[in-house]
Amino acid sequence: MLSFTPRILSQSLISTVNLNLTQSYLDRIPQDIPTIVVSNHRSFLDAPILIQTIPNTLRIACHHYMGETPGVREIVNTLGCFPLGKAKSRQRDFFERANQLLTSRQWVGLFPEGTKPMIEPTEPHEINPFHRGFAHLAWKSSVPKLAVLPVAIVSLSETNYPSIPIRWLKHFDRDEPFFERQGLHPMLVYHRVHVSIGRPYLINTPQKREYKGKQAKILAADLTTYCQDRITDLLQLGCY
């Protein structure tokens, strides 16, 4: 495992499931600017797909339990993902780590829907409401100029398999309420996927000065809505 790079391991995982992957609007990917990539999230294959699609070094945030679970931990580490911290310090740790990566001109990947769609699978054209953490990160980051890039992972053919009991994951993250559930954890495997890139949202230093007081919440909400709406539109176009 140690001899793999994130891109080689991503390609290996995609090839293992015989996934047919296509892409469009690659010209919308920003050049020479730190970028936060946000995407819908339904499958364990989403991170490898983004790593294969984005030409820059992409460090994707993942759930805390993934950094604690043997086997899974080694995979996410090799992919260059960074697990979120425990619940009490999760937000602070996330902002510090993500800001550090952006400052070093690495790109940060996020799935703003959180854990829910992995436990309660959505239809290919649907997404859950986005959490706003990525938007606050974009406005609060210390880099003078950055982009937020919405990306739609459009499933055109897939199979959902039952895997391990959901409650087993409680051993690795006792604070996750979704892991209290009975039943088996879904494992969604794509057969055909189209990745569609949205238009980036650019933020510069003069704009960052507006991020204060009540205006900060408005700006974060606007950015969240922008990304969710763009991804929803791209999913609708790609699924029909």
Side-chain angles (χ1 to χ4, degrees):
M1 185 71 70
L2 293 176
S3 63
F4 282 89
T5 66
R7 199 169 297 279
I8 290 174
L9 179 55
S10 296
Q11 182 56 58
S12 178
L13 292 170
I14 289 170
S15 299
T16 297
V17 299
N18 197 28
L19 171 61
N20 182 346
L21 178 63
T22 56
Q23 298 136 338
S24 62
Y25 303 119
L26 295 179
D27 59 310
R28 293 176 175 173
I29 297 175
Q31 302 293 318
D32 300 322
I33 177 175
T35 298
I36 299 171
V37 177
V38 297
S39 174
N40 58 311
H41 186 36
R42 302 175 64 242
S43 170
F44 70 96
L45 290 167
D46 293 332
I49 286 169
L50 289 181
I51 291 170
Q52 281 299 109
T53 300
I54 301 298
N56 303 71
T57 300
L58 183 64
R59 304 294 300 278
I60 300 176
C62 62
H63 200 286
H64 175 69
Y65 85 91
M66 300 184 77
E68 303 293 322
T69 308
V72 175
R73 176 177 57 217
E74 288 71 25
I75 291 174
V76 299
N77 286 341
T78 305
L79 288 174
C81 301
F82 65 102
L84 299 174
K86 293 183 179 180
K88 291 182 179 179
S89 61
R90 185 165 298 166
Q91 187 176 49
R92 184 187 70 249
D93 291 349
F94 161 69
F95 276 106
E96 290 179 355
R97 180 64 173 145
N99 186 60
Q100 180 185 51
L101 292 169
L102 291 169
T103 302
S104 64
R105 301 192 68 80
Q106 297 184 70
W107 289 23
V108 171
L110 297 166
F111 299 120
E113 292 173 274
T115 305
K116 186 176 181 180
M118 297 295 289
I119 304 295
E120 300 177 357
T122 57
E123 294 298 318
H125 63 284
E126 296 176 340
I127 55 175
N128 289 288
F130 281 6
H131 299 290
R132 296 180 183 178
F134 79 92
H136 286 289
L137 168 65
W139 285 106
K140 291 170 64 175
S141 68
S142 57
V143 295
K145 183 178 180 180
L146 61 76
V148 181
L149 184 69
V151 177
I153 299 176
V154 186
S155 175
L156 303 175
S157 177
E158 64 186 37
T159 302
N160 206 339
Y161 301 95
S163 61
I164 63 172
I166 294 173
R167 290 183 65 87
W168 282 11
L169 297 174
K170 194 72 174 176
H171 295 291
F172 306 104
D173 189 349
R174 297 186 179 278
D175 298 316
E176 177 52 69
F178 282 108
F179 295 163
E180 298 284 356
R181 302 188 178 196
Q182 301 294 330
L184 298 178
H185 194 300
M187 184 175 70
L188 186 65
V189 177
Y190 300 133
H191 306 305
R192 285 197 305 128
V193 162
H194 183 76
V195 179
S196 190
I197 309 296
R199 297 187 185 279
Y201 188 109
L202 301 177
I203 300 175
N204 57 33
T205 298
Q207 291 171 308
K208 284 175 176 284
R209 297 192 188 105
E210 300 177 14
Y211 181 81
K212 55 186 176 181
K214 293 181 179 180
Q215 187 65 15
K217 292 184 178 180
I218 294 172
L219 290 171
D222 287 347
L223 176 52
T224 302
T225 299
Y226 174 84
C227 290
Q228 184 165 330
D229 287 351
R230 298 293 79 72
I231 292 172
T232 297
D233 291 344
L234 292 169
L235 288 174
Q236 295 285 351
L237 289 171
C239 288
Y240 298 101

